[in-house]
Amino acid sequence: MAVLQLYSPFQFRNTSKSYTNVVSTRASSSLSSNLPISSPKSSDFGRLISKFKSESLSFALSGALALAVTLSGVGNAEAKVGVNKPELLPKDFTTVIDVAGFLSDGQEKRLAKEIDSIEKDTGFKLRVLAQNYPDTPGLAIKDFWQVDDRTIVFVADPTFGNILNFNVGESVDLDIPRSFWSRLAGKYGNMFYWKEKGEDASVEAAVMAISSCLREPVGANNCAEVK
């Protein structure tokens, strides 16, 4: 799970696979050298994997969501320290949190309505956080939104140039091509776009593009076009 390292996307699926591969490779190497190794019980190993994924997710949310650097292709920004400011969260649950003031009340309501429709129709959860680092709830949104493997966390933050950044859950990653997120960020998140049309326009356009993508049948060519 890439977090403060700015060159690889943050993906729930990648972390557990990479960790499993590392464990398997080391075990295989030990066996080939005829050295005795102790094999943990499967239940213990399962708990170890679960604990690893949970800790990795916490670290990712404190870093990646605070930084808002993931799939937007921003690789030259200097690393920032993760932030956890639960006081910036709204009192009542909402799928759209705008601590940066990019959106009007009407825009927030429209986006929340669209996000609700997406979840009912597809089962995927889209969550939107608009921020200007370091003014971000950071890690606190993990529990607030109950982030899981069917969640797309969309962080709108212009700090590093491209305003669109995405953290994608494992189940989403299985259905949506990874190239979609970078193409989406390239189309609606580039600095020329949001400076000309406004941060709010980038956010709204991205949500509608995600909505269109998630509703397409899964296949070889789904989400080939950013609408």
Side-chain angles (χ1 to χ4, degrees), residues 10-189:
F10 165 84
Q11 302 284 348
F12 295 124
R13 180 164 65 91
N14 292 351
T15 299
S16 58
K17 272 199 168 185
S18 297
Y19 180 73
T20 303
N21 289 339
V22 168
V23 173
S24 299
T25 300
R26 289 178 178 172
S28 175
S29 177
S30 298
L31 287 170
S32 65
S33 62
N34 296 319
L35 292 175
I37 60 170
S38 58
S39 300
K41 295 181 179 179
S42 58
S43 59
D44 294 337
F45 186 73
R47 285 195 293 270
L48 178 63
I49 292 292
S50 178
K51 181 175 183 293
F52 176 84
K53 290 174 70 176
S54 176
E55 291 177 349
S56 297
L57 176 56
S58 297
F59 179 64
L61 288 171
S62 66
L65 297 185
L67 272 122
V69 176
T70 48
L71 295 176
S72 63
V74 182
N76 296 320
E78 61 182 80
K80 302 293 183 182
V81 178
V83 178
N84 184 35
K85 296 181 179 179
E87 66 273 15
L88 293 180
L89 292 170
K91 293 182 179 179
D92 299 319
F93 179 84
T94 175
T95 55
V96 181
I97 300 175
D98 180 17
V99 295
F102 295 153
L103 306 168
S104 67
D105 289 342
Q107 287 173 315
E108 285 193 42
K109 290 178 181 178
R110 286 199 301 273
L111 292 178
K113 184 176 180 180
E114 182 63 30
I115 290 169
D116 184 58
S117 176
I118 291 171
E119 191 165 346
K120 287 180 179 178
D121 293 344
T122 71
F124 290 120
K125 302 189 297 184
L126 175 62
R127 302 293 183 257
V128 178
L129 169 64
Q131 65 175 40
N132 265 311
Y133 180 88
D135 296 321
T136 169
L139 176 62
I141 68 171
K142 173 193 171 186
D143 293 328
F144 183 83
W145 278 336
Q146 293 297 298
V147 174
D148 58 21
D149 65 353
R150 298 187 67 81
T151 306
I152 302 163
V153 179
F154 166 20
V155 181
D157 188 328
T159 302
F160 300 114
N162 194 305
I163 196 173
L164 305 185
N165 312 274
F166 308 96
N167 292 316
V168 182
E170 177 181 350
S171 294
V172 185
D173 191 35
L174 292 174
D175 287 351
I176 307 302
R178 295 183 184 182
S179 59
F180 169 77
W181 305 106
S182 58
R183 286 186 283 109
L184 175 57
K187 183 173 183 178
Y188 294 127

Side-chain angles (χ1 to χ4, degrees), residues 102 132 157-164 187-203:
F102 295 153
N132 265 311
D157 188 328
T159 302
F160 300 114
N162 194 305
I163 196 173
L164 305 185
K187 183 173 183 178
Y188 294 127
N190 70 80
M191 189 180 298
F192 300 102
Y193 186 94
W194 65 261
K195 281 198 171 183
E196 177 183 351
K197 298 183 180 293
E199 296 92 342
D200 57 333
S202 287
V203 173

